[in-house]
Amino acid sequence: VVDHTAADEPATGPAGSPDGALLEQLTAVVGAGAVSAGDVTADEAHDEALTVAPVAPLAVVRPSRRDEVAAVVRLAARHRVPIVARGSGTGLSGGAVPVPGCLLVSFERMHRIVDIDVDNHVAVVEPGVTLHQLDEALAPLGLMYPVYPGEQSASIGGNVATNAGGMRAIRYGVTRNQVLGLELVLGTGEVVRTGGRFVKSSTGYDLTQLVIGSEGTLALVTEATLRLHPRPRLASTVLAPFPRLDDVTAAVPRILGSSLVPSVLEYLDAIAMGGVTAAAGLDLGIADELRAQAAAYLVVLLQADDERRLEEDTATLAALLEEIGALDVFVLPPKAADELIVARERAFFAAKAAHADDIVDVVVPRAAMARYLHEVADLASAHGALVTGCGHVGDGNVHLSVFQPDEERRKALLSAMFRAGMECGGAVSGEHGIGTEKKPYYAALEDPAKLALMRGIKDVFDPAGILGPGRIFDR
Ligand SMILES: Cc1cc2nc3c(=O)[nH]c(=O)nc-3n(C[C@H](O)[C@H](O)[C@H](O)COP(=O)(O)OP(=O)(O)OC[C@H]3O[C@@H](n4cnc5c(N)ncnc54)[C@H](O)[C@@H]3O)c2cc1C
């Protein structure tokens, strides 16, 4: 515990209403320009989840340092006002959407890269640092932070809170595998540091890991210590169309069981491929005849520092893909390769533009992918819906766009899809989180004993129950 002492104002202020008093006290803590009430921007009222309606908070508060965050939390606890944390608002589960009467604590002013420690391969950053910002700082040093969710404007705080994954997880793991330590403001305003610039610890409970993925319900992250990796110099991207989706899922264990270590291993079904390439205006030169036969595509990125090694790996992969039944194998020119990866990252926006009604990111054991996708196809037709998708097939994590405008029918379909995923040995979300939007499905499927344990943990971190109201589970 490093700080309990920031000076906040008494709870009773001169203003007439309790809200007025709170706003005055908040202004005293963070400064007049850093509290907005009544003039909240449209963006701050929602995140990117397709199903959320915008909600105006009581106020947006923009602290610039840890002590201000602590003081804001203490004031909120005293006034019993809920707090919703906001990074960049790119989340897909409603996690950063305000509730009426809450303080939306935005970390946009806490965007300092505190240190890049080259010898220890560590970066220490404030939570509002974006992935793009960090990548720009690391590239000249030949280093990288390997969490690449589709949206590079996402913040490190949001990534930690959702345990973000993304395409490179197949090689490097997810946020959970990269965070060495955190600085946290608990629901009491108390400040706690966990972990540090070291890679192993057998010293008590792992509070870092407990907070990662807690979606702003246990603590506010005010600093993160991150593990860095050498940045591979060379890349080769291979695209393989397959006649059946099953061929793609069957290819995954073969590739991962070979000597190859892909940095990206993604699938897109034919509809998703058509959608993302059309949205990006991207022509990969695949003949119409071949496209007509393809039910799904595999995209594999290989990276290395040695040219000969990369050539050999690419040849090995191409031979393996042909043997497995690919209709063809394309080694993409670098520009087309980069554009395809970016187009795939923007698959969400292509689905949104096509009026998808919801997006889910169920995860199953990768050997159960074929079974799960068959069950989803059956469920979609039983519920009169179109479900199409792409995803991190190497992780068993599918991103499925659900087209069924009738809300009741869609909810019934989603319940069945989540249940099927769990029956395959999987989980409701691989990386987007539960937030508010997946909460009813999760509540219906999760072991009540585990939910009770989580509620108990939350009570310890946040006794007044002010952090992340209604996210993950109801208190
Ligand atoms: C086009 C697109 C593609 C995407 N692709 C992927 C993908 O491949 N993989 C993936 O994992 N995600 C993906 N996402 C989802 C999103 O980018 C991630 O969830 C990201 O981690 C959210 O970061 P953010 O800063 O926008 O967080 P926000 O949306 O602002 O918040 C997300 C959650 O974190 C909490 N939070 C934010 N900051 C803090 C803090 N400092 N302390 C405590 N809690 C905090 C919020 O309360 C909320 O619960 C994608 C989103 C888009 C729009």
mmCIF file with all atom_site columns, all heavy atoms in Angstrom, residues 105-127:
data_model
loop_
_atom_site.group_PDB
_atom_site.id
_atom_site.type_symbol
_atom_site.label_atom_id
_atom_site.label_alt_id
_atom_site.label_comp_id
_atom_site.label_asym_id
_atom_site.label_entity_id
_atom_site.label_seq_id
_atom_site.pdbx_PDB_ins_code
_atom_site.Cartn_x
_atom_site.Cartn_y
_atom_site.Cartn_z
_atom_site.occupancy
_atom_site.B_iso_or_equiv
_atom_site.pdbx_formal_charge
_atom_site.auth_seq_id
_atom_site.auth_comp_id
_atom_site.auth_asym_id
_atom_site.auth_atom_id
_atom_site.pdbx_PDB_model_num
ATOM 1   N N   . VAL A 1 105 ? -15.245 7.712  -15.146 1.00 0.00 ? 105 VAL A N   1
ATOM 2   C CA  . VAL A 1 105 ? -13.847 8.112  -14.942 1.00 0.00 ? 105 VAL A CA  1
ATOM 3   C C   . VAL A 1 105 ? -13.071 7.767  -16.207 1.00 0.00 ? 105 VAL A C   1
ATOM 4   O O   . VAL A 1 105 ? -12.851 6.598  -16.512 1.00 0.00 ? 105 VAL A O   1
ATOM 5   C CB  . VAL A 1 105 ? -13.239 7.427  -13.696 1.00 0.00 ? 105 VAL A CB  1
ATOM 6   C CG1 . VAL A 1 105 ? -11.758 7.763  -13.578 1.00 0.00 ? 105 VAL A CG1 1
ATOM 7   C CG2 . VAL A 1 105 ? -13.982 7.882  -12.435 1.00 0.00 ? 105 VAL A CG2 1
ATOM 8   N N   . SER A 1 106 ? -12.724 8.803  -16.949 1.00 0.00 ? 106 SER A N   1
ATOM 9   C CA  . SER A 1 106 ? -12.032 8.618  -18.226 1.00 0.00 ? 106 SER A CA  1
ATOM 10  C C   . SER A 1 106 ? -10.532 8.779  -18.004 1.00 0.00 ? 106 SER A C   1
ATOM 11  O O   . SER A 1 106 ? -10.092 9.740  -17.371 1.00 0.00 ? 106 SER A O   1
ATOM 12  C CB  . SER A 1 106 ? -12.529 9.656  -19.233 1.00 0.00 ? 106 SER A CB  1
ATOM 13  O OG  . SER A 1 106 ? -11.650 9.684  -20.327 1.00 0.00 ? 106 SER A OG  1
ATOM 14  N N   . PHE A 1 107 ? -9.755  7.837  -18.579 1.00 0.00 ? 107 PHE A N   1
ATOM 15  C CA  . PHE A 1 107 ? -8.305  7.852  -18.359 1.00 0.00 ? 107 PHE A CA  1
ATOM 16  C C   . PHE A 1 107 ? -7.544  8.532  -19.484 1.00 0.00 ? 107 PHE A C   1
ATOM 17  O O   . PHE A 1 107 ? -6.341  8.367  -19.603 1.00 0.00 ? 107 PHE A O   1
ATOM 18  C CB  . PHE A 1 107 ? -7.807  6.416  -18.109 1.00 0.00 ? 107 PHE A CB  1
ATOM 19  C CG  . PHE A 1 107 ? -8.205  5.914  -16.762 1.00 0.00 ? 107 PHE A CG  1
ATOM 20  C CD1 . PHE A 1 107 ? -9.353  5.150  -16.597 1.00 0.00 ? 107 PHE A CD1 1
ATOM 21  C CD2 . PHE A 1 107 ? -7.467  6.253  -15.646 1.00 0.00 ? 107 PHE A CD2 1
ATOM 22  C CE1 . PHE A 1 107 ? -9.745  4.715  -15.335 1.00 0.00 ? 107 PHE A CE1 1
ATOM 23  C CE2 . PHE A 1 107 ? -7.843  5.831  -14.377 1.00 0.00 ? 107 PHE A CE2 1
ATOM 24  C CZ  . PHE A 1 107 ? -8.985  5.054  -14.224 1.00 0.00 ? 107 PHE A CZ  1
ATOM 25  N N   . GLU A 1 108 ? -8.266  9.325  -20.279 1.00 0.00 ? 108 GLU A N   1
ATOM 26  C CA  . GLU A 1 108 ? -7.630  9.898  -21.472 1.00 0.00 ? 108 GLU A CA  1
ATOM 27  C C   . GLU A 1 108 ? -6.455  10.817 -21.152 1.00 0.00 ? 108 GLU A C   1
ATOM 28  O O   . GLU A 1 108 ? -5.547  10.987 -21.966 1.00 0.00 ? 108 GLU A O   1
ATOM 29  C CB  . GLU A 1 108 ? -8.674  10.643 -22.320 1.00 0.00 ? 108 GLU A CB  1
ATOM 30  C CG  . GLU A 1 108 ? -9.181  11.908 -21.694 1.00 0.00 ? 108 GLU A CG  1
ATOM 31  C CD  . GLU A 1 108 ? -10.559 12.318 -22.219 1.00 0.00 ? 108 GLU A CD  1
ATOM 32  O OE1 . GLU A 1 108 ? -11.575 11.733 -21.781 1.00 0.00 ? 108 GLU A OE1 1
ATOM 33  O OE2 . GLU A 1 108 ? -10.605 13.214 -23.057 1.00 0.00 ? 108 GLU A OE2 1
ATOM 34  N N   . ARG A 1 109 ? -6.459  11.450 -19.949 1.00 0.00 ? 109 ARG A N   1
ATOM 35  C CA  . ARG A 1 109 ? -5.333  12.352 -19.607 1.00 0.00 ? 109 ARG A CA  1
ATOM 36  C C   . ARG A 1 109 ? -4.161  11.592 -18.987 1.00 0.00 ? 109 ARG A C   1
ATOM 37  O O   . ARG A 1 109 ? -3.091  12.164 -18.794 1.00 0.00 ? 109 ARG A O   1
ATOM 38  C CB  . ARG A 1 109 ? -5.816  13.435 -18.644 1.00 0.00 ? 109 ARG A CB  1
ATOM 39  C CG  . ARG A 1 109 ? -6.759  14.435 -19.314 1.00 0.00 ? 109 ARG A CG  1
ATOM 40  C CD  . ARG A 1 109 ? -7.344  15.375 -18.290 1.00 0.00 ? 109 ARG A CD  1
ATOM 41  N NE  . ARG A 1 109 ? -6.393  16.330 -17.772 1.00 0.00 ? 109 ARG A NE  1
ATOM 42  C CZ  . ARG A 1 109 ? -6.424  16.814 -16.530 1.00 0.00 ? 109 ARG A CZ  1
ATOM 43  N NH1 . ARG A 1 109 ? -7.349  16.426 -15.679 1.00 0.00 ? 109 ARG A NH1 1
ATOM 44  N NH2 . ARG A 1 109 ? -5.530  17.687 -16.132 1.00 0.00 ? 109 ARG A NH2 1
ATOM 45  N N   . MET A 1 110 ? -4.371  10.326 -18.650 1.00 0.00 ? 110 MET A N   1
ATOM 46  C CA  . MET A 1 110 ? -3.271  9.544  -18.054 1.00 0.00 ? 110 MET A CA  1
ATOM 47  C C   . MET A 1 110 ? -2.640  8.706  -19.171 1.00 0.00 ? 110 MET A C   1
ATOM 48  O O   . MET A 1 110 ? -2.838  7.506  -19.252 1.00 0.00 ? 110 MET A O   1
ATOM 49  C CB  . MET A 1 110 ? -3.794  8.678  -16.904 1.00 0.00 ? 110 MET A CB  1
ATOM 50  C CG  . MET A 1 110 ? -4.262  9.543  -15.733 1.00 0.00 ? 110 MET A CG  1
ATOM 51  S SD  . MET A 1 110 ? -4.878  8.602  -14.325 1.00 0.00 ? 110 MET A SD  1
ATOM 52  C CE  . MET A 1 110 ? -3.394  7.800  -13.725 1.00 0.00 ? 110 MET A CE  1
ATOM 53  N N   . HIS A 1 111 ? -1.872  9.399  -20.039 1.00 0.00 ? 111 HIS A N   1
ATOM 54  C CA  . HIS A 1 111 ? -1.361  8.716  -21.234 1.00 0.00 ? 111 HIS A CA  1
ATOM 55  C C   . HIS A 1 111 ? 0.168   8.787  -21.317 1.00 0.00 ? 111 HIS A C   1
ATOM 56  O O   . HIS A 1 111 ? 0.737   8.856  -22.394 1.00 0.00 ? 111 HIS A O   1
ATOM 57  C CB  . HIS A 1 111 ? -2.009  9.305  -22.488 1.00 0.00 ? 111 HIS A CB  1
ATOM 58  C CG  . HIS A 1 111 ? -1.848  10.794 -22.586 1.00 0.00 ? 111 HIS A CG  1
ATOM 59  N ND1 . HIS A 1 111 ? -0.648  11.403 -22.851 1.00 0.00 ? 111 HIS A ND1 1
ATOM 60  C CD2 . HIS A 1 111 ? -2.740  11.790 -22.418 1.00 0.00 ? 111 HIS A CD2 1
ATOM 61  C CE1 . HIS A 1 111 ? -0.797  12.704 -22.852 1.00 0.00 ? 111 HIS A CE1 1
ATOM 62  N NE2 . HIS A 1 111 ? -2.063  12.970 -22.585 1.00 0.00 ? 111 HIS A NE2 1
ATOM 63  N N   . ARG A 1 112 ? 0.808   8.733  -20.171 1.00 0.00 ? 112 ARG A N   1
ATOM 64  C CA  . ARG A 1 112 ? 2.268   8.810  -20.138 1.00 0.00 ? 112 ARG A CA  1
ATOM 65  C C   . ARG A 1 112 ? 2.903   7.425  -20.211 1.00 0.00 ? 112 ARG A C   1
ATOM 66  O O   . ARG A 1 112 ? 2.472   6.525  -19.484 1.00 0.00 ? 112 ARG A O   1
ATOM 67  C CB  . ARG A 1 112 ? 2.712   9.480  -18.836 1.00 0.00 ? 112 ARG A CB  1
ATOM 68  C CG  . ARG A 1 112 ? 3.450   10.789 -19.047 1.00 0.00 ? 112 ARG A CG  1
ATOM 69  C CD  . ARG A 1 112 ? 3.695   11.525 -17.746 1.00 0.00 ? 112 ARG A CD  1
ATOM 70  N NE  . ARG A 1 112 ? 3.543   10.737 -16.550 1.00 0.00 ? 112 ARG A NE  1
ATOM 71  C CZ  . ARG A 1 112 ? 4.550   10.320 -15.770 1.00 0.00 ? 112 ARG A CZ  1
ATOM 72  N NH1 . ARG A 1 112 ? 5.800   10.619 -16.057 1.00 0.00 ? 112 ARG A NH1 1
ATOM 73  N NH2 . ARG A 1 112 ? 4.297   9.633  -14.675 1.00 0.00 ? 112 ARG A NH2 1
ATOM 74  N N   . ILE A 1 113 ? 3.891   7.291  -21.085 1.00 0.00 ? 113 ILE A N   1
ATOM 75  C CA  . ILE A 1 113 ? 4.752   6.092  -21.016 1.00 0.00 ? 113 ILE A CA  1
ATOM 76  C C   . ILE A 1 113 ? 5.807   6.433  -19.972 1.00 0.00 ? 113 ILE A C   1
ATOM 77  O O   . ILE A 1 113 ? 6.667   7.291  -20.194 1.00 0.00 ? 113 ILE A O   1
ATOM 78  C CB  . ILE A 1 113 ? 5.369   5.780  -22.392 1.00 0.00 ? 113 ILE A CB  1
ATOM 79  C CG1 . ILE A 1 113 ? 4.251   5.443  -23.392 1.00 0.00 ? 113 ILE A CG1 1
ATOM 80  C CG2 . ILE A 1 113 ? 6.366   4.632  -22.274 1.00 0.00 ? 113 ILE A CG2 1
ATOM 81  C CD1 . ILE A 1 113 ? 4.716   5.191  -24.804 1.00 0.00 ? 113 ILE A CD1 1
ATOM 82  N N   . VAL A 1 114 ? 5.714   5.817  -18.818 1.00 0.00 ? 114 VAL A N   1
ATOM 83  C CA  . VAL A 1 114 ? 6.547   6.202  -17.678 1.00 0.00 ? 114 VAL A CA  1
ATOM 84  C C   . VAL A 1 114 ? 7.990   5.770  -17.908 1.00 0.00 ? 114 VAL A C   1
ATOM 85  O O   . VAL A 1 114 ? 8.935   6.508  -17.640 1.00 0.00 ? 114 VAL A O   1
ATOM 86  C CB  . VAL A 1 114 ? 5.996   5.565  -16.374 1.00 0.00 ? 114 VAL A CB  1
ATOM 87  C CG1 . VAL A 1 114 ? 6.874   5.896  -15.168 1.00 0.00 ? 114 VAL A CG1 1
ATOM 88  C CG2 . VAL A 1 114 ? 4.555   6.010  -16.146 1.00 0.00 ? 114 VAL A CG2 1
ATOM 89  N N   . ASP A 1 115 ? 8.170   4.567  -18.452 1.00 0.00 ? 115 ASP A N   1
ATOM 90  C CA  . ASP A 1 115 ? 9.530   4.060  -18.658 1.00 0.00 ? 115 ASP A CA  1
ATOM 91  C C   . ASP A 1 115 ? 9.513   2.929  -19.681 1.00 0.00 ? 115 ASP A C   1
ATOM 92  O O   . ASP A 1 115 ? 8.578   2.122  -19.697 1.00 0.00 ? 115 ASP A O   1
ATOM 93  C CB  . ASP A 1 115 ? 10.087  3.523  -17.313 1.00 0.00 ? 115 ASP A CB  1
ATOM 94  C CG  . ASP A 1 115 ? 11.571  3.187  -17.400 1.00 0.00 ? 115 ASP A CG  1
ATOM 95  O OD1 . ASP A 1 115 ? 12.252  3.730  -18.297 1.00 0.00 ? 115 ASP A OD1 1
ATOM 96  O OD2 . ASP A 1 115 ? 12.045  2.381  -16.579 1.00 0.00 ? 115 ASP A OD2 1
ATOM 97  N N   . ILE A 1 116 ? 10.541  2.916  -20.519 1.00 0.00 ? 116 ILE A N   1
ATOM 98  C CA  . ILE A 1 116 ? 10.787  1.715  -21.332 1.00 0.00 ? 116 ILE A CA  1
ATOM 99  C C   . ILE A 1 116 ? 12.146  1.192  -20.883 1.00 0.00 ? 116 ILE A C   1
ATOM 100 O O   . ILE A 1 116 ? 13.169  1.853  -21.072 1.00 0.00 ? 116 ILE A O   1
ATOM 101 C CB  . ILE A 1 116 ? 10.760  2.031  -22.837 1.00 0.00 ? 116 ILE A CB  1
ATOM 102 C CG1 . ILE A 1 116 ? 9.353   2.502  -23.236 1.00 0.00 ? 116 ILE A CG1 1
ATOM 103 C CG2 . ILE A 1 116 ? 11.138  0.787  -23.639 1.00 0.00 ? 116 ILE A CG2 1
ATOM 104 C CD1 . ILE A 1 116 ? 9.212   2.920  -24.674 1.00 0.00 ? 116 ILE A CD1 1
ATOM 105 N N   . ASP A 1 117 ? 12.123  0.057  -20.249 1.00 0.00 ? 117 ASP A N   1
ATOM 106 C CA  . ASP A 1 117 ? 13.311  -0.528 -19.630 1.00 0.00 ? 117 ASP A CA  1
ATOM 107 C C   . ASP A 1 117 ? 13.809  -1.618 -20.580 1.00 0.00 ? 117 ASP A C   1
ATOM 108 O O   . ASP A 1 117 ? 13.338  -2.755 -20.558 1.00 0.00 ? 117 ASP A O   1
ATOM 109 C CB  . ASP A 1 117 ? 12.877  -1.087 -18.259 1.00 0.00 ? 117 ASP A CB  1
ATOM 110 C CG  . ASP A 1 117 ? 13.968  -1.830 -17.526 1.00 0.00 ? 117 ASP A CG  1
ATOM 111 O OD1 . ASP A 1 117 ? 14.993  -2.151 -18.141 1.00 0.00 ? 117 ASP A OD1 1
ATOM 112 O OD2 . ASP A 1 117 ? 13.754  -2.117 -16.329 1.00 0.00 ? 117 ASP A OD2 1
ATOM 113 N N   . VAL A 1 118 ? 14.757  -1.230 -21.445 1.00 0.00 ? 118 VAL A N   1
ATOM 114 C CA  . VAL A 1 118 ? 15.186  -2.123 -22.532 1.00 0.00 ? 118 VAL A CA  1
ATOM 115 C C   . VAL A 1 118 ? 15.857  -3.373 -21.969 1.00 0.00 ? 118 VAL A C   1
ATOM 116 O O   . VAL A 1 118 ? 15.637  -4.494 -22.446 1.00 0.00 ? 118 VAL A O   1
ATOM 117 C CB  . VAL A 1 118 ? 16.116  -1.363 -23.508 1.00 0.00 ? 118 VAL A CB  1
ATOM 118 C CG1 . VAL A 1 118 ? 16.687  -2.306 -24.561 1.00 0.00 ? 118 VAL A CG1 1
ATOM 119 C CG2 . VAL A 1 118 ? 15.348  -0.232 -24.180 1.00 0.00 ? 118 VAL A CG2 1
ATOM 120 N N   . ASP A 1 119 ? 16.673  -3.205 -20.934 1.00 0.00 ? 119 ASP A N   1
ATOM 121 C CA  . ASP A 1 119 ? 17.411  -4.366 -20.396 1.00 0.00 ? 119 ASP A CA  1
ATOM 122 C C   . ASP A 1 119 ? 16.476  -5.417 -19.823 1.00 0.00 ? 119 ASP A C   1
ATOM 123 O O   . ASP A 1 119 ? 16.708  -6.613 -19.966 1.00 0.00 ? 119 ASP A O   1
ATOM 124 C CB  . ASP A 1 119 ? 18.378  -3.904 -19.296 1.00 0.00 ? 119 ASP A CB  1
ATOM 125 C CG  . ASP A 1 119 ? 19.556  -3.160 -19.892 1.00 0.00 ? 119 ASP A CG  1
ATOM 126 O OD1 . ASP A 1 119 ? 19.752  -3.255 -21.126 1.00 0.00 ? 119 ASP A OD1 1
ATOM 127 O OD2 . ASP A 1 119 ? 20.243  -2.455 -19.132 1.00 0.00 ? 119 ASP A OD2 1
ATOM 128 N N   . ASN A 1 120 ? 15.411  -4.966 -19.173 1.00 0.00 ? 120 ASN A N   1
ATOM 129 C CA  . ASN A 1 120 ? 14.478  -5.933 -18.569 1.00 0.00 ? 120 ASN A CA  1
ATOM 130 C C   . ASN A 1 120 ? 13.324  -6.297 -19.494 1.00 0.00 ? 120 ASN A C   1
ATOM 131 O O   . ASN A 1 120 ? 12.458  -7.084 -19.125 1.00 0.00 ? 120 ASN A O   1
ATOM 132 C CB  . ASN A 1 120 ? 13.900  -5.360 -17.270 1.00 0.00 ? 120 ASN A CB  1
ATOM 133 C CG  . ASN A 1 120 ? 14.883  -5.480 -16.119 1.00 0.00 ? 120 ASN A CG  1
ATOM 134 O OD1 . ASN A 1 120 ? 15.475  -6.539 -15.923 1.00 0.00 ? 120 ASN A OD1 1
ATOM 135 N ND2 . ASN A 1 120 ? 15.072  -4.405 -15.384 1.00 0.00 ? 120 ASN A ND2 1
ATOM 136 N N   . HIS A 1 121 ? 13.312  -5.690 -20.704 1.00 0.00 ? 121 HIS A N   1
ATOM 137 C CA  . HIS A 1 121 ? 12.184  -5.898 -21.625 1.00 0.00 ? 121 HIS A CA  1
ATOM 138 C C   . HIS A 1 121 ? 10.852  -5.597 -20.939 1.00 0.00 ? 121 HIS A C   1
ATOM 139 O O   . HIS A 1 121 ? 9.935   -6.420 -20.908 1.00 0.00 ? 121 HIS A O   1
ATOM 140 C CB  . HIS A 1 121 ? 12.179  -7.330 -22.198 1.00 0.00 ? 121 HIS A CB  1
ATOM 141 C CG  . HIS A 1 121 ? 13.107  -7.505 -23.343 1.00 0.00 ? 121 HIS A CG  1
ATOM 142 N ND1 . HIS A 1 121 ? 13.206  -8.648 -24.082 1.00 0.00 ? 121 HIS A ND1 1
ATOM 143 C CD2 . HIS A 1 121 ? 13.980  -6.649 -23.901 1.00 0.00 ? 121 HIS A CD2 1
ATOM 144 C CE1 . HIS A 1 121 ? 14.102  -8.492 -25.034 1.00 0.00 ? 121 HIS A CE1 1
ATOM 145 N NE2 . HIS A 1 121 ? 14.594  -7.295 -24.939 1.00 0.00 ? 121 HIS A NE2 1
ATOM 146 N N   . VAL A 1 122 ? 10.793  -4.386 -20.385 1.00 0.00 ? 122 VAL A N   1
ATOM 147 C CA  . VAL A 1 122 ? 9.613   -3.984 -19.610 1.00 0.00 ? 122 VAL A CA  1
ATOM 148 C C   . VAL A 1 122 ? 9.209   -2.560 -20.016 1.00 0.00 ? 122 VAL A C   1
ATOM 149 O O   . VAL A 1 122 ? 10.077  -1.718 -20.253 1.00 0.00 ? 122 VAL A O   1
ATOM 150 C CB  . VAL A 1 122 ? 9.940   -4.032 -18.093 1.00 0.00 ? 122 VAL A CB  1
ATOM 151 C CG1 . VAL A 1 122 ? 8.988   -3.159 -17.299 1.00 0.00 ? 122 VAL A CG1 1
ATOM 152 C CG2 . VAL A 1 122 ? 9.889   -5.479 -17.569 1.00 0.00 ? 122 VAL A CG2 1
ATOM 153 N N   . ALA A 1 123 ? 7.914   -2.308 -20.102 1.00 0.00 ? 123 ALA A N   1
ATOM 154 C CA  . ALA A 1 123 ? 7.411   -0.932 -20.220 1.00 0.00 ? 123 ALA A CA  1
ATOM 155 C C   . ALA A 1 123 ? 6.492   -0.673 -19.039 1.00 0.00 ? 123 ALA A C   1
ATOM 156 O O   . ALA A 1 123 ? 5.713   -1.546 -18.646 1.00 0.00 ? 123 ALA A O   1
ATOM 157 C CB  . ALA A 1 123 ? 6.643   -0.741 -21.523 1.00 0.00 ? 123 ALA A CB  1
ATOM 158 N N   . VAL A 1 124 ? 6.588   0.540  -18.494 1.00 0.00 ? 124 VAL A N   1
ATOM 159 C CA  . VAL A 1 124 ? 5.670   0.954  -17.432 1.00 0.00 ? 124 VAL A CA  1
ATOM 160 C C   . VAL A 1 124 ? 4.834   2.094  -18.003 1.00 0.00 ? 124 VAL A C   1
ATOM 161 O O   . VAL A 1 124 ? 5.394   3.083  -18.493 1.00 0.00 ? 124 VAL A O   1
ATOM 162 C CB  . VAL A 1 124 ? 6.447   1.427  -16.179 1.00 0.00 ? 124 VAL A CB  1
ATOM 163 C CG1 . VAL A 1 124 ? 5.479   1.848  -15.081 1.00 0.00 ? 124 VAL A CG1 1
ATOM 164 C CG2 . VAL A 1 124 ? 7.373   0.311  -15.683 1.00 0.00 ? 124 VAL A CG2 1
ATOM 165 N N   . VAL A 1 125 ? 3.520   1.913  -17.990 1.00 0.00 ? 125 VAL A N   1
ATOM 166 C CA  . VAL A 1 125 ? 2.664   2.897  -18.676 1.00 0.00 ? 125 VAL A CA  1
ATOM 167 C C   . VAL A 1 125 ? 1.454   3.266  -17.827 1.00 0.00 ? 125 VAL A C   1
ATOM 168 O O   . VAL A 1 125 ? 0.984   2.465  -17.016 1.00 0.00 ? 125 VAL A O   1
ATOM 169 C CB  . VAL A 1 125 ? 2.155   2.344  -20.039 1.00 0.00 ? 125 VAL A CB  1
ATOM 170 C CG1 . VAL A 1 125 ? 3.305   1.964  -20.949 1.00 0.00 ? 125 VAL A CG1 1
ATOM 171 C CG2 . VAL A 1 125 ? 1.200   1.169  -19.867 1.00 0.00 ? 125 VAL A CG2 1
ATOM 172 N N   . GLU A 1 126 ? 0.957   4.460  -18.096 1.00 0.00 ? 126 GLU A N   1
ATOM 173 C CA  . GLU A 1 126 ? -0.323  4.851  -17.497 1.00 0.00 ? 126 GLU A CA  1
ATOM 174 C C   . GLU A 1 126 ? -1.455  4.195  -18.305 1.00 0.00 ? 126 GLU A C   1
ATOM 175 O O   . GLU A 1 126 ? -1.265  3.806  -19.466 1.00 0.00 ? 126 GLU A O   1
ATOM 176 C CB  . GLU A 1 126 ? -0.451  6.376  -17.493 1.00 0.00 ? 126 GLU A CB  1
ATOM 177 C CG  . GLU A 1 126 ? 0.496   7.028  -16.483 1.00 0.00 ? 126 GLU A CG  1
ATOM 178 C CD  . GLU A 1 126 ? 0.308   8.530  -16.353 1.00 0.00 ? 126 GLU A CD  1
ATOM 179 O OE1 . GLU A 1 126 ? -0.234  9.173  -17.291 1.00 0.00 ? 126 GLU A OE1 1
ATOM 180 O OE2 . GLU A 1 126 ? 0.709   9.069  -15.317 1.00 0.00 ? 126 GLU A OE2 1
ATOM 181 N N   . PRO A 1 127 ? -2.656  4.111  -17.700 1.00 0.00 ? 127 PRO A N   1
ATOM 182 C CA  . PRO A 1 127 ? -3.706  3.305  -18.340 1.00 0.00 ? 127 PRO A CA  1
ATOM 183 C C   . PRO A 1 127 ? -4.258  3.878  -19.632 1.00 0.00 ? 127 PRO A C   1
ATOM 184 O O   . PRO A 1 127 ? -4.781  3.142  -20.465 1.00 0.00 ? 127 PRO A O   1
ATOM 185 C CB  . PRO A 1 127 ? -4.810  3.261  -17.273 1.00 0.00 ? 127 PRO A CB  1
ATOM 186 C CG  . PRO A 1 127 ? -4.564  4.450  -16.397 1.00 0.00 ? 127 PRO A CG  1
ATOM 187 C CD  . PRO A 1 127 ? -3.080  4.635  -16.391 1.00 0.00 ? 127 PRO A CD  1
#
